[in-house]
Amino acid sequence: MFSQASIYWQFLPTACLALTVFVYAVTRRKARWRALIRRRRESLIKLIKAIIYATFLLLFTVFILLTARFIINDFSCSIILSSFSNFTHSNGGMQLIAATPGSGSDYCRIALGIMTGFVTGSVYEVMNLTSFNQLPYRPFYYKSHYPFIASVSRVDNFINMNPHRVVVLVRNPFDAAFSEFIRQKVSLVNKDIDNKYNNMDQVIREKDFLVYGSKMVLQPTEELELHMKTYFIMWKSFHEYWLRNYHGSVKVILYQDLVDDILKFKEITNYFGYSVDSTRQRQQRLSCFLTNTQKTKYRKRPSSIIIDETKRRLREHFESDTASAIAYVQLLYSNKYNEPLHIS
């Protein structure tokens, strides 16, 4: 009779074989799972790489297309904005933008020319002509400082005295007077009108504006003091002529509004009888104008530490003269249009 232990030993090989088969099966299953996971992981990595490459290629393609479009648009705008023609839509009347010197008339002239595509003129370019038959072009409007600067010939006198429509460009008298003083100073050295403000810091010195007085207090030079006082008087006379003595069609535009909002120029073009967005072609030019506004500002004076700091000191010195001149013109305006005028 077999003992219990011998029975166990009898089944031990079978158990070991079964265990071995089980372990082998489990190992093979794990190996297959690992291989499957590895293959799936590799496939996933390849998929992720493909997505990254495709995304990069898409972004690169978009970048190239946008760059090409920008270059094409910029080139197209350069061509569009460089073309100008005579103005023939004013019903035979001459139009005028009148402003005191230093009030932004050059900036206004260039901006409106680029915005509309029409030639803009100045009475000072035709002042030596003896006949209207000698006029070299038919401008959208003429720039004039009359009566701040008087007419000198029959041609410019007729333009100044008989405009069809007039835009009066108004700027703070202190800012305008100081700007004109700077222009006169730099123009003595830089004869090139388009680049008159180049190397300005080498031309302008603080001694051109300020000197020490008897109490060792900085005060304006005699030249600047006379310039500013005279300018304030003529600034009031200029606006008195256009807002009280002149009886034709007048529209007042604040220079600061044009600086703050470039679309404010549309008020001028509409007043002059020309819509800048009535056709697709005009809309395209307007769009180019708005995306290239820096091209309309090349005559604006660049920043200068000496000039800006001096201007800050002088503003307080001429505060009462400035306030008096502004109040006078505001009264003229309110009497003519029954509404306030905010000159900042």
Side-chain angles (χ1 to χ4, degrees), residues 24-42:
Y24 175 76
V26 171
T27 303
R28 286 292 303 273
R29 189 175 183 87
K30 285 185 176 179
R32 287 197 300 271
W33 274 104
R34 287 173 182 170
L36 179 62
I37 292 173
R38 186 170 56 254
R39 288 195 299 271
R40 291 185 175 180
R41 182 184 301 164
E42 291 174 354

Side-chain angles (χ1 to χ4, degrees), residues 108-128:
C108 192
R109 179 182 177 184
I110 296 169
L112 285 171
I114 295 175
M115 189 179 196
T116 63
F118 292 122
V119 175
T120 58
S122 169
V123 296
Y124 308 107
E125 296 172 349
V126 299
M127 59 193 305
N128 294 323

Side-chain angles (χ1 to χ4, degrees), residues 8 10-22:
Y8 289 154
Q10 184 180 358
F11 287 100
L12 182 61
T14 303
C16 289
L17 179 60
L19 180 60
T20 300
V21 172
F22 175 75

Side-chain angles (χ1 to χ4, degrees), residues 236-248:
K236 291 191 290 185
S237 298
F238 170 89
H239 293 93
E240 180 179 305
Y241 171 79
W242 289 113
L243 297 180
R244 188 172 70 183
N245 300 335
Y246 180 74
H247 300 295

